[in-house]
Amino acid sequence: MSDDVAVNKATSQGRVANRVLWVVQAIVGVDFIIGGLVKLFGLPAMVDLFDRIGGGQELRYFIGVVELVGGIGVLIPALVSLAASGLAALLVGAVYTNLFIVNDPPWVPLAWLIVVSILAWRRWPQTKEHLTALRR
């Protein structure tokens, strides 16, 4: 394989990976924005869930704001990695809560934890580049 073909193939794969990451970011962003709004608007299922957790409805508002801000953040190129890292921290708490407090299966928050962790890792160079440019 010639060097030009190898470079074109690598560039093409990079573009595909970038597009896939954008689709994943859009899905994550929309899901967490909706999830945050559901908590902030106080849908009965969320009120009941936070009663079961025992953290009070203030915790529901806090988690709703964090999810809303994180969902918006993953849609902003300069903030993707930081927002995804924040959502990952939130999801560690959700996995713990499901396992030890409400005794629900942890699979959904665990799956989201994996997805946002991959986003944080893969988008870190882009976020770092934006933050470095701001410091100049």
Side-chain angles (χ1 to χ4, degrees), residues 21 24-25 27-29 31-32 67 70-71 74 79-92 108-124:
L21 282 174
V24 171
Q25 283 173 235
I27 292 167
V28 168
D31 186 74
F32 277 94
E67 287 185 1
V74 297
L79 300 176
V80 175
S81 186
L82 297 175
S85 296
L87 290 173
L90 177 75
L91 288 162
V92 167
V108 172
L110 191 58
W112 279 118
L113 175 59
I114 292 166
V115 171
V116 299
S117 296
I118 291 169
L119 270 182
W121 168 58
R122 293 296 305 229
R123 290 300 195 196
W124 174 245

PDB file of all heavy atoms in Angstrom, residues 21 24-25 27-29 31-32 67 70-71 74 79-92 108-124:
ATOM      1  N   LEU A  21     -18.861  10.147  16.734  1.00  0.00           N
ATOM      2  CA  LEU A  21     -18.818  10.827  18.029  1.00  0.00           C
ATOM      3  C   LEU A  21     -19.840  11.962  18.097  1.00  0.00           C
ATOM      4  O   LEU A  21     -20.476  12.167  19.129  1.00  0.00           O
ATOM      5  CB  LEU A  21     -17.417  11.359  18.320  1.00  0.00           C
ATOM      6  CG  LEU A  21     -16.399  10.332  18.792  1.00  0.00           C
ATOM      7  CD1 LEU A  21     -15.016  10.962  18.897  1.00  0.00           C
ATOM      8  CD2 LEU A  21     -16.802   9.735  20.128  1.00  0.00           C
ATOM      9  N   VAL A  24     -23.196  10.417  18.701  1.00  0.00           N
ATOM     10  CA  VAL A  24     -23.274   9.992  20.101  1.00  0.00           C
ATOM     11  C   VAL A  24     -23.451  11.210  21.010  1.00  0.00           C
ATOM     12  O   VAL A  24     -24.273  11.193  21.935  1.00  0.00           O
ATOM     13  CB  VAL A  24     -22.030   9.166  20.503  1.00  0.00           C
ATOM     14  CG1 VAL A  24     -21.988   8.915  21.998  1.00  0.00           C
ATOM     15  CG2 VAL A  24     -21.993   7.865  19.727  1.00  0.00           C
ATOM     16  N   GLN A  25     -22.703  12.281  20.753  1.00  0.00           N
ATOM     17  CA  GLN A  25     -22.842  13.499  21.552  1.00  0.00           C
ATOM     18  C   GLN A  25     -24.263  14.041  21.466  1.00  0.00           C
ATOM     19  O   GLN A  25     -24.826  14.463  22.479  1.00  0.00           O
ATOM     20  CB  GLN A  25     -21.879  14.581  21.055  1.00  0.00           C
ATOM     21  CG  GLN A  25     -20.460  14.381  21.483  1.00  0.00           C
ATOM     22  CD  GLN A  25     -19.527  15.364  20.825  1.00  0.00           C
ATOM     23  OE1 GLN A  25     -18.564  14.949  20.200  1.00  0.00           O
ATOM     24  NE2 GLN A  25     -19.796  16.640  20.930  1.00  0.00           N
ATOM     25  N   ILE A  27     -27.042  12.390  20.845  1.00  0.00           N
ATOM     26  CA  ILE A  27     -27.932  11.497  21.591  1.00  0.00           C
ATOM     27  C   ILE A  27     -27.776  11.720  23.090  1.00  0.00           C
ATOM     28  O   ILE A  27     -28.763  11.849  23.822  1.00  0.00           O
ATOM     29  CB  ILE A  27     -27.671  10.025  21.209  1.00  0.00           C
ATOM     30  CG1 ILE A  27     -28.099   9.777  19.755  1.00  0.00           C
ATOM     31  CG2 ILE A  27     -28.382   9.075  22.159  1.00  0.00           C
ATOM     32  CD1 ILE A  27     -27.614   8.461  19.182  1.00  0.00           C
ATOM     33  N   VAL A  28     -26.532  11.773  23.556  1.00  0.00           N
ATOM     34  CA  VAL A  28     -26.269  11.998  24.982  1.00  0.00           C
ATOM     35  C   VAL A  28     -26.825  13.357  25.407  1.00  0.00           C
ATOM     36  O   VAL A  28     -27.510  13.472  26.437  1.00  0.00           O
ATOM     37  CB  VAL A  28     -24.755  11.904  25.285  1.00  0.00           C
ATOM     38  CG1 VAL A  28     -24.430  12.417  26.685  1.00  0.00           C
ATOM     39  CG2 VAL A  28     -24.265  10.477  25.119  1.00  0.00           C
ATOM     40  N   GLY A  29     -26.546  14.377  24.605  1.00  0.00           N
ATOM     41  CA  GLY A  29     -27.011  15.716  24.943  1.00  0.00           C
ATOM     42  C   GLY A  29     -28.519  15.791  25.072  1.00  0.00           C
ATOM     43  O   GLY A  29     -29.047  16.281  26.079  1.00  0.00           O
ATOM     44  N   ASP A  31     -30.667  13.334  25.491  1.00  0.00           N
ATOM     45  CA  ASP A  31     -31.160  12.494  26.582  1.00  0.00           C
ATOM     46  C   ASP A  31     -30.993  13.175  27.935  1.00  0.00           C
ATOM     47  O   ASP A  31     -31.921  13.173  28.753  1.00  0.00           O
ATOM     48  CB  ASP A  31     -30.461  11.136  26.581  1.00  0.00           C
ATOM     49  CG  ASP A  31     -31.073  10.209  27.609  1.00  0.00           C
ATOM     50  OD1 ASP A  31     -32.184   9.708  27.374  1.00  0.00           O
ATOM     51  OD2 ASP A  31     -30.446  10.011  28.681  1.00  0.00           O
ATOM     52  N   PHE A  32     -29.844  13.760  28.178  1.00  0.00           N
ATOM     53  CA  PHE A  32     -29.618  14.387  29.470  1.00  0.00           C
ATOM     54  C   PHE A  32     -30.375  15.704  29.613  1.00  0.00           C
ATOM     55  O   PHE A  32     -30.803  16.059  30.720  1.00  0.00           O
ATOM     56  CB  PHE A  32     -28.125  14.551  29.761  1.00  0.00           C
ATOM     57  CG  PHE A  32     -27.522  13.296  30.307  1.00  0.00           C
ATOM     58  CD1 PHE A  32     -26.917  12.376  29.469  1.00  0.00           C
ATOM     59  CD2 PHE A  32     -27.599  13.007  31.653  1.00  0.00           C
ATOM     60  CE1 PHE A  32     -26.382  11.199  29.961  1.00  0.00           C
ATOM     61  CE2 PHE A  32     -27.068  11.828  32.160  1.00  0.00           C
ATOM     62  CZ  PHE A  32     -26.464  10.920  31.310  1.00  0.00           C
ATOM     63  N   GLU A  67     -27.808  17.573  35.085  1.00  0.00           N
ATOM     64  CA  GLU A  67     -28.094  16.873  33.832  1.00  0.00           C
ATOM     65  C   GLU A  67     -28.362  17.852  32.694  1.00  0.00           C
ATOM     66  O   GLU A  67     -27.885  17.652  31.571  1.00  0.00           O
ATOM     67  CB  GLU A  67     -29.282  15.928  33.999  1.00  0.00           C
ATOM     68  CG  GLU A  67     -28.957  14.699  34.815  1.00  0.00           C
ATOM     69  CD  GLU A  67     -30.108  13.713  34.872  1.00  0.00           C
ATOM     70  OE1 GLU A  67     -31.178  13.958  34.263  1.00  0.00           O
ATOM     71  OE2 GLU A  67     -29.942  12.675  35.539  1.00  0.00           O
ATOM     72  N   GLY A  70     -25.015  19.536  31.816  1.00  0.00           N
ATOM     73  CA  GLY A  70     -24.151  18.541  31.179  1.00  0.00           C
ATOM     74  C   GLY A  70     -24.626  18.195  29.779  1.00  0.00           C
ATOM     75  O   GLY A  70     -23.818  18.049  28.856  1.00  0.00           O
ATOM     76  N   GLY A  71     -25.930  18.070  29.602  1.00  0.00           N
ATOM     77  CA  GLY A  71     -26.474  17.778  28.279  1.00  0.00           C
ATOM     78  C   GLY A  71     -26.186  18.889  27.284  1.00  0.00           C
ATOM     79  O   GLY A  71     -25.838  18.635  26.128  1.00  0.00           O
ATOM     80  N   VAL A  74     -22.249  18.876  26.420  1.00  0.00           N
ATOM     81  CA  VAL A  74     -21.709  17.905  25.457  1.00  0.00           C
ATOM     82  C   VAL A  74     -22.017  18.296  24.017  1.00  0.00           C
ATOM     83  O   VAL A  74     -21.455  17.720  23.087  1.00  0.00           O
ATOM     84  CB  VAL A  74     -22.168  16.448  25.719  1.00  0.00           C
ATOM     85  CG1 VAL A  74     -21.676  15.948  27.053  1.00  0.00           C
ATOM     86  CG2 VAL A  74     -23.649  16.285  25.563  1.00  0.00           C
ATOM     87  N   LEU A  79     -16.511  22.306  25.275  1.00  0.00           N
ATOM     88  CA  LEU A  79     -16.846  21.806  26.609  1.00  0.00           C
ATOM     89  C   LEU A  79     -17.143  20.318  26.663  1.00  0.00           C
ATOM     90  O   LEU A  79     -17.421  19.790  27.747  1.00  0.00           O
ATOM     91  CB  LEU A  79     -18.074  22.555  27.146  1.00  0.00           C
ATOM     92  CG  LEU A  79     -17.942  24.063  27.283  1.00  0.00           C
ATOM     93  CD1 LEU A  79     -19.256  24.664  27.734  1.00  0.00           C
ATOM     94  CD2 LEU A  79     -16.823  24.414  28.243  1.00  0.00           C
ATOM     95  N   VAL A  80     -17.100  19.641  25.528  1.00  0.00           N
ATOM     96  CA  VAL A  80     -17.540  18.244  25.460  1.00  0.00           C
ATOM     97  C   VAL A  80     -16.896  17.383  26.538  1.00  0.00           C
ATOM     98  O   VAL A  80     -17.582  16.705  27.308  1.00  0.00           O
ATOM     99  CB  VAL A  80     -17.245  17.629  24.079  1.00  0.00           C
ATOM    100  CG1 VAL A  80     -17.600  16.159  24.056  1.00  0.00           C
ATOM    101  CG2 VAL A  80     -17.978  18.365  22.992  1.00  0.00           C
ATOM    102  N   SER A  81     -15.590  17.385  26.607  1.00  0.00           N
ATOM    103  CA  SER A  81     -14.882  16.500  27.527  1.00  0.00           C
ATOM    104  C   SER A  81     -15.172  16.852  28.982  1.00  0.00           C
ATOM    105  O   SER A  81     -15.374  15.958  29.808  1.00  0.00           O
ATOM    106  CB  SER A  81     -13.383  16.556  27.257  1.00  0.00           C
ATOM    107  OG  SER A  81     -12.707  15.614  28.049  1.00  0.00           O
ATOM    108  N   LEU A  82     -15.208  18.140  29.295  1.00  0.00           N
ATOM    109  CA  LEU A  82     -15.486  18.547  30.674  1.00  0.00           C
ATOM    110  C   LEU A  82     -16.920  18.188  31.070  1.00  0.00           C
ATOM    111  O   LEU A  82     -17.160  17.678  32.169  1.00  0.00           O
ATOM    112  CB  LEU A  82     -15.245  20.046  30.840  1.00  0.00           C
ATOM    113  CG  LEU A  82     -13.811  20.510  30.609  1.00  0.00           C
ATOM    114  CD1 LEU A  82     -13.734  22.034  30.680  1.00  0.00           C
ATOM    115  CD2 LEU A  82     -12.872  19.878  31.612  1.00  0.00           C
ATOM    116  N   ALA A  83     -17.873  18.446  30.173  1.00  0.00           N
ATOM    117  CA  ALA A  83     -19.267  18.117  30.465  1.00  0.00           C
ATOM    118  C   ALA A  83     -19.457  16.610  30.601  1.00  0.00           C
ATOM    119  O   ALA A  83     -20.155  16.141  31.515  1.00  0.00           O
ATOM    120  CB  ALA A  83     -20.177  18.673  29.363  1.00  0.00           C
ATOM    121  N   ALA A  84     -18.832  15.856  29.715  1.00  0.00           N
ATOM    122  CA  ALA A  84     -18.942  14.393  29.790  1.00  0.00           C
ATOM    123  C   ALA A  84     -18.308  13.865  31.072  1.00  0.00           C
ATOM    124  O   ALA A  84     -18.819  12.920  31.682  1.00  0.00           O
ATOM    125  CB  ALA A  84     -18.307  13.746  28.561  1.00  0.00           C
ATOM    126  N   SER A  85     -17.211  14.481  31.512  1.00  0.00           N
ATOM    127  CA  SER A  85     -16.584  14.076  32.775  1.00  0.00           C
ATOM    128  C   SER A  85     -17.510  14.352  33.954  1.00  0.00           C
ATOM    129  O   SER A  85     -17.619  13.534  34.876  1.00  0.00           O
ATOM    130  CB  SER A  85     -15.255  14.808  32.978  1.00  0.00           C
ATOM    131  OG  SER A  85     -14.340  14.449  31.973  1.00  0.00           O
ATOM    132  N   GLY A  86     -18.173  15.494  33.932  1.00  0.00           N
ATOM    133  CA  GLY A  86     -19.134  15.806  34.983  1.00  0.00           C
ATOM    134  C   GLY A  86     -20.303  14.836  35.002  1.00  0.00           C
ATOM    135  O   GLY A  86     -20.733  14.381  36.057  1.00  0.00           O
ATOM    136  N   LEU A  87     -20.794  14.498  33.809  1.00  0.00           N
ATOM    137  CA  LEU A  87     -21.872  13.513  33.734  1.00  0.00           C
ATOM    138  C   LEU A  87     -21.397  12.142  34.210  1.00  0.00           C
ATOM    139  O   LEU A  87     -22.160  11.406  34.843  1.00  0.00           O
ATOM    140  CB  LEU A  87     -22.425  13.434  32.308  1.00  0.00           C
ATOM    141  CG  LEU A  87     -23.227  14.656  31.831  1.00  0.00           C
ATOM    142  CD1 LEU A  87     -23.564  14.525  30.349  1.00  0.00           C
ATOM    143  CD2 LEU A  87     -24.476  14.852  32.667  1.00  0.00           C
ATOM    144  N   ALA A  88     -20.142  11.810  33.918  1.00  0.00           N
ATOM    145  CA  ALA A  88     -19.604  10.523  34.389  1.00  0.00           C
ATOM    146  C   ALA A  88     -19.599  10.476  35.913  1.00  0.00           C
ATOM    147  O   ALA A  88     -19.974   9.457  36.511  1.00  0.00           O
ATOM    148  CB  ALA A  88     -18.196  10.303  33.836  1.00  0.00           C
ATOM    149  N   ALA A  89     -19.194  11.568  36.545  1.00  0.00           N
ATOM    150  CA  ALA A  89     -19.201  11.615  38.017  1.00  0.00           C
ATOM    151  C   ALA A  89     -20.627  11.451  38.544  1.00  0.00           C
ATOM    152  O   ALA A  89     -20.863  10.711  39.510  1.00  0.00           O
ATOM    153  CB  ALA A  89     -18.593  12.930  38.498  1.00  0.00           C
ATOM    154  N   LEU A  90     -21.578  12.119  37.905  1.00  0.00           N
ATOM    155  CA  LEU A  90     -22.979  11.988  38.293  1.00  0.00           C
ATOM    156  C   LEU A  90     -23.448  10.543  38.155  1.00  0.00           C
ATOM    157  O   LEU A  90     -24.147  10.011  39.017  1.00  0.00           O
ATOM    158  CB  LEU A  90     -23.834  12.907  37.425  1.00  0.00           C
ATOM    159  CG  LEU A  90     -25.336  12.850  37.647  1.00  0.00           C
ATOM    160  CD1 LEU A  90     -25.690  13.561  38.937  1.00  0.00           C
ATOM    161  CD2 LEU A  90     -26.057  13.470  36.477  1.00  0.00           C
ATOM    162  N   LEU A  91     -23.049   9.898  37.077  1.00  0.00           N
ATOM    163  CA  LEU A  91     -23.482   8.527  36.815  1.00  0.00           C
ATOM    164  C   LEU A  91     -22.850   7.513  37.768  1.00  0.00           C
ATOM    165  O   LEU A  91     -23.458   6.479  38.051  1.00  0.00           O
ATOM    166  CB  LEU A  91     -23.213   8.162  35.354  1.00  0.00           C
ATOM    167  CG  LEU A  91     -24.170   8.864  34.394  1.00  0.00           C
ATOM    168  CD1 LEU A  91     -23.625   8.841  32.978  1.00  0.00           C
ATOM    169  CD2 LEU A  91     -25.556   8.247  34.463  1.00  0.00           C
ATOM    170  N   VAL A  92     -21.656   7.796  38.260  1.00  0.00           N
ATOM    171  CA  VAL A  92     -21.083   6.927  39.300  1.00  0.00           C
ATOM    172  C   VAL A  92     -22.018   6.937  40.506  1.00  0.00           C
ATOM    173  O   VAL A  92     -22.331   5.891  41.077  1.00  0.00           O
ATOM    174  CB  VAL A  92     -19.660   7.386  39.690  1.00  0.00           C
ATOM    175  CG1 VAL A  92     -19.183   6.703  40.960  1.00  0.00           C
ATOM    176  CG2 VAL A  92     -18.685   7.116  38.542  1.00  0.00           C
ATOM    177  N   VAL A 108     -28.634   0.600  33.241  1.00  0.00           N
ATOM    178  CA  VAL A 108     -28.831   1.814  32.435  1.00  0.00           C
ATOM    179  C   VAL A 108     -27.809   2.891  32.803  1.00  0.00           C
ATOM    180  O   VAL A 108     -27.106   3.398  31.923  1.00  0.00           O
ATOM    181  CB  VAL A 108     -30.288   2.326  32.543  1.00  0.00           C
ATOM    182  CG1 VAL A 108     -30.430   3.686  31.868  1.00  0.00           C
ATOM    183  CG2 VAL A 108     -31.247   1.313  31.915  1.00  0.00           C
ATOM    184  N   PRO A 109     -27.678   3.269  34.083  1.00  0.00           N
ATOM    185  CA  PRO A 109     -26.653   4.271  34.375  1.00  0.00           C
ATOM    186  C   PRO A 109     -25.236   3.774  34.090  1.00  0.00           C
ATOM    187  O   PRO A 109     -24.360   4.564  33.716  1.00  0.00           O
ATOM    188  CB  PRO A 109     -26.843   4.598  35.854  1.00  0.00           C
ATOM    189  CG  PRO A 109     -27.701   3.526  36.412  1.00  0.00           C
ATOM    190  CD  PRO A 109     -28.467   2.940  35.275  1.00  0.00           C
ATOM    191  N   LEU A 110     -25.006   2.479  34.222  1.00  0.00           N
ATOM    192  CA  LEU A 110     -23.690   1.937  33.905  1.00  0.00           C
ATOM    193  C   LEU A 110     -23.386   2.063  32.411  1.00  0.00           C
ATOM    194  O   LEU A 110     -22.268   2.431  32.019  1.00  0.00           O
ATOM    195  CB  LEU A 110     -23.607   0.475  34.355  1.00  0.00           C
ATOM    196  CG  LEU A 110     -22.234  -0.173  34.330  1.00  0.00           C
ATOM    197  CD1 LEU A 110     -21.244   0.597  35.193  1.00  0.00           C
ATOM    198  CD2 LEU A 110     -22.333  -1.616  34.812  1.00  0.00           C
ATOM    199  N   ALA A 111     -24.374   1.787  31.580  1.00  0.00           N
ATOM    200  CA  ALA A 111     -24.191   1.933  30.124  1.00  0.00           C
ATOM    201  C   ALA A 111     -23.919   3.395  29.765  1.00  0.00           C
ATOM    202  O   ALA A 111     -23.010   3.698  28.987  1.00  0.00           O
ATOM    203  CB  ALA A 111     -25.425   1.423  29.385  1.00  0.00           C
ATOM    204  N   TRP A 112     -24.689   4.321  30.357  1.00  0.00           N
ATOM    205  CA  TRP A 112     -24.444   5.740  30.109  1.00  0.00           C
ATOM    206  C   TRP A 112     -23.081   6.170  30.625  1.00  0.00           C
ATOM    207  O   TRP A 112     -22.405   6.991  30.001  1.00  0.00           O
ATOM    208  CB  TRP A 112     -25.534   6.602  30.739  1.00  0.00           C
ATOM    209  CG  TRP A 112     -26.779   6.688  29.917  1.00  0.00           C
ATOM    210  CD1 TRP A 112     -28.014   6.257  30.273  1.00  0.00           C
ATOM    211  CD2 TRP A 112     -26.912   7.234  28.597  1.00  0.00           C
ATOM    212  NE1 TRP A 112     -28.898   6.496  29.249  1.00  0.00           N
ATOM    213  CE2 TRP A 112     -28.255   7.103  28.219  1.00  0.00           C
ATOM    214  CE3 TRP A 112     -26.018   7.817  27.701  1.00  0.00           C
ATOM    215  CZ2 TRP A 112     -28.733   7.534  26.983  1.00  0.00           C
ATOM    216  CZ3 TRP A 112     -26.496   8.249  26.470  1.00  0.00           C
ATOM    217  CH2 TRP A 112     -27.828   8.109  26.118  1.00  0.00           C
ATOM    218  N   LEU A 113     -22.658   5.609  31.752  1.00  0.00           N
ATOM    219  CA  LEU A 113     -21.332   5.916  32.293  1.00  0.00           C
ATOM    220  C   LEU A 113     -20.242   5.534  31.299  1.00  0.00           C
ATOM    221  O   LEU A 113     -19.299   6.294  31.070  1.00  0.00           O
ATOM    222  CB  LEU A 113     -21.117   5.187  33.626  1.00  0.00           C
ATOM    223  CG  LEU A 113     -19.741   5.313  34.270  1.00  0.00           C
ATOM    224  CD1 LEU A 113     -19.378   6.758  34.553  1.00  0.00           C
ATOM    225  CD2 LEU A 113     -19.685   4.483  35.546  1.00  0.00           C
ATOM    226  N   ILE A 114     -20.378   4.388  30.692  1.00  0.00           N
ATOM    227  CA  ILE A 114     -19.398   3.950  29.688  1.00  0.00           C
ATOM    228  C   ILE A 114     -19.396   4.900  28.493  1.00  0.00           C
ATOM    229  O   ILE A 114     -18.342   5.336  28.023  1.00  0.00           O
ATOM    230  CB  ILE A 114     -19.672   2.491  29.268  1.00  0.00           C
ATOM    231  CG1 ILE A 114     -19.381   1.553  30.442  1.00  0.00           C
ATOM    232  CG2 ILE A 114     -18.857   2.109  28.034  1.00  0.00           C
ATOM    233  CD1 ILE A 114     -19.917   0.146  30.261  1.00  0.00           C
ATOM    234  N   VAL A 115     -20.589   5.256  28.013  1.00  0.00           N
ATOM    235  CA  VAL A 115     -20.696   6.132  26.840  1.00  0.00           C
ATOM    236  C   VAL A 115     -20.090   7.503  27.121  1.00  0.00           C
ATOM    237  O   VAL A 115     -19.281   8.003  26.326  1.00  0.00           O
ATOM    238  CB  VAL A 115     -22.169   6.257  26.381  1.00  0.00           C
ATOM    239  CG1 VAL A 115     -22.319   7.334  25.320  1.00  0.00           C
ATOM    240  CG2 VAL A 115     -22.680   4.920  25.854  1.00  0.00           C
ATOM    241  N   VAL A 116     -20.460   8.137  28.245  1.00  0.00           N
ATOM    242  CA  VAL A 116     -19.932   9.477  28.509  1.00  0.00           C
ATOM    243  C   VAL A 116     -18.437   9.443  28.843  1.00  0.00           C
ATOM    244  O   VAL A 116     -17.719  10.402  28.544  1.00  0.00           O
ATOM    245  CB  VAL A 116     -20.734  10.234  29.595  1.00  0.00           C
ATOM    246  CG1 VAL A 116     -22.172  10.434  29.163  1.00  0.00           C
ATOM    247  CG2 VAL A 116     -20.636   9.595  30.944  1.00  0.00           C
ATOM    248  N   SER A 117     -17.960   8.338  29.405  1.00  0.00           N
ATOM    249  CA  SER A 117     -16.518   8.207  29.665  1.00  0.00           C
ATOM    250  C   SER A 117     -15.742   8.128  28.354  1.00  0.00           C
ATOM    251  O   SER A 117     -14.666   8.727  28.227  1.00  0.00           O
ATOM    252  CB  SER A 117     -16.239   6.974  30.526  1.00  0.00           C
ATOM    253  OG  SER A 117     -16.833   7.117  31.789  1.00  0.00           O
ATOM    254  N   ILE A 118     -16.275   7.412  27.389  1.00  0.00           N
ATOM    255  CA  ILE A 118     -15.639   7.345  26.070  1.00  0.00           C
ATOM    256  C   ILE A 118     -15.648   8.727  25.421  1.00  0.00           C
ATOM    257  O   ILE A 118     -14.638   9.156  24.838  1.00  0.00           O
ATOM    258  CB  ILE A 118     -16.321   6.287  25.182  1.00  0.00           C
ATOM    259  CG1 ILE A 118     -16.026   4.888  25.721  1.00  0.00           C
ATOM    260  CG2 ILE A 118     -15.884   6.423  23.729  1.00  0.00           C
ATOM    261  CD1 ILE A 118     -16.844   3.781  25.094  1.00  0.00           C
ATOM    262  N   LEU A 119     -16.766   9.438  25.525  1.00  0.00           N
ATOM    263  CA  LEU A 119     -16.826  10.801  24.981  1.00  0.00           C
ATOM    264  C   LEU A 119     -15.780  11.700  25.633  1.00  0.00           C
ATOM    265  O   LEU A 119     -15.082  12.448  24.945  1.00  0.00           O
ATOM    266  CB  LEU A 119     -18.203  11.414  25.213  1.00  0.00           C
ATOM    267  CG  LEU A 119     -19.267  11.224  24.168  1.00  0.00           C
ATOM    268  CD1 LEU A 119     -20.541  11.952  24.576  1.00  0.00           C
ATOM    269  CD2 LEU A 119     -18.813  11.659  22.808  1.00  0.00           C
ATOM    270  N   ALA A 120     -15.691  11.647  26.963  1.00  0.00           N
ATOM    271  CA  ALA A 120     -14.725  12.484  27.679  1.00  0.00           C
ATOM    272  C   ALA A 120     -13.301  12.181  27.218  1.00  0.00           C
ATOM    273  O   ALA A 120     -12.504  13.096  26.989  1.00  0.00           O
ATOM    274  CB  ALA A 120     -14.853  12.270  29.183  1.00  0.00           C
ATOM    275  N   TRP A 121     -12.998  10.908  27.056  1.00  0.00           N
ATOM    276  CA  TRP A 121     -11.656  10.484  26.658  1.00  0.00           C
ATOM    277  C   TRP A 121     -11.357  10.868  25.208  1.00  0.00           C
ATOM    278  O   TRP A 121     -10.303  11.439  24.916  1.00  0.00           O
ATOM    279  CB  TRP A 121     -11.543   8.977  26.857  1.00  0.00           C
ATOM    280  CG  TRP A 121     -10.339   8.342  26.249  1.00  0.00           C
ATOM    281  CD1 TRP A 121      -9.029   8.632  26.497  1.00  0.00           C
ATOM    282  CD2 TRP A 121     -10.331   7.305  25.274  1.00  0.00           C
ATOM    283  NE1 TRP A 121      -8.203   7.834  25.751  1.00  0.00           N
ATOM    284  CE2 TRP A 121      -8.989   6.996  24.978  1.00  0.00           C
ATOM    285  CE3 TRP A 121     -11.332   6.585  24.627  1.00  0.00           C
ATOM    286  CZ2 TRP A 121      -8.629   6.028  24.065  1.00  0.00           C
ATOM    287  CZ3 TRP A 121     -10.965   5.615  23.715  1.00  0.00           C
ATOM    288  CH2 TRP A 121      -9.625   5.345  23.452  1.00  0.00           C
ATOM    289  N   ARG A 122     -12.289  10.578  24.301  1.00  0.00           N
ATOM    290  CA  ARG A 122     -12.045  10.819  22.871  1.00  0.00           C
ATOM    291  C   ARG A 122     -12.054  12.302  22.508  1.00  0.00           C
ATOM    292  O   ARG A 122     -11.416  12.712  21.550  1.00  0.00           O
ATOM    293  CB  ARG A 122     -13.075  10.074  22.027  1.00  0.00           C
ATOM    294  CG  ARG A 122     -12.978   8.566  22.066  1.00  0.00           C
ATOM    295  CD  ARG A 122     -11.694   8.087  21.476  1.00  0.00           C
ATOM    296  NE  ARG A 122     -11.526   8.610  20.141  1.00  0.00           N
ATOM    297  CZ  ARG A 122     -11.201   7.913  19.074  1.00  0.00           C
ATOM    298  NH1 ARG A 122     -10.977   6.639  19.186  1.00  0.00           N
ATOM    299  NH2 ARG A 122     -11.085   8.482  17.892  1.00  0.00           N
ATOM    300  N   ARG A 123     -12.795  13.099  23.242  1.00  0.00           N
ATOM    301  CA  ARG A 123     -12.896  14.532  22.932  1.00  0.00           C
ATOM    302  C   ARG A 123     -11.939  15.392  23.756  1.00  0.00           C
ATOM    303  O   ARG A 123     -11.892  16.610  23.568  1.00  0.00           O
ATOM    304  CB  ARG A 123     -14.328  15.019  23.142  1.00  0.00           C
ATOM    305  CG  ARG A 123     -15.312  14.501  22.114  1.00  0.00           C
ATOM    306  CD  ARG A 123     -14.934  14.929  20.721  1.00  0.00           C
ATOM    307  NE  ARG A 123     -16.052  14.727  19.802  1.00  0.00           N
ATOM    308  CZ  ARG A 123     -15.928  14.715  18.503  1.00  0.00           C
ATOM    309  NH1 ARG A 123     -14.744  14.891  17.939  1.00  0.00           N
ATOM    310  NH2 ARG A 123     -16.979  14.542  17.741  1.00  0.00           N
ATOM    311  N   TRP A 124     -11.150  14.778  24.660  1.00  0.00           N
ATOM    312  CA  TRP A 124     -10.243  15.574  25.469  1.00  0.00           C
ATOM    313  C   TRP A 124      -9.262  16.393  24.625  1.00  0.00           C
ATOM    314  O   TRP A 124      -9.056  17.581  24.923  1.00  0.00           O
ATOM    315  CB  TRP A 124      -9.496  14.734  26.492  1.00  0.00           C
ATOM    316  CG  TRP A 124      -8.471  15.559  27.218  1.00  0.00           C
ATOM    317  CD1 TRP A 124      -7.129  15.418  27.196  1.00  0.00           C
ATOM    318  CD2 TRP A 124      -8.733  16.699  28.044  1.00  0.00           C
ATOM    319  NE1 TRP A 124      -6.523  16.391  27.961  1.00  0.00           N
ATOM    320  CE2 TRP A 124      -7.496  17.203  28.492  1.00  0.00           C
ATOM    321  CE3 TRP A 124      -9.890  17.360  28.439  1.00  0.00           C
ATOM    322  CZ2 TRP A 124      -7.382  18.318  29.316  1.00  0.00           C
ATOM    323  CZ3 TRP A 124      -9.776  18.478  29.263  1.00  0.00           C
ATOM    324  CH2 TRP A 124      -8.535  18.935  29.686  1.00  0.00           C
TER     325      TRP A 124
END
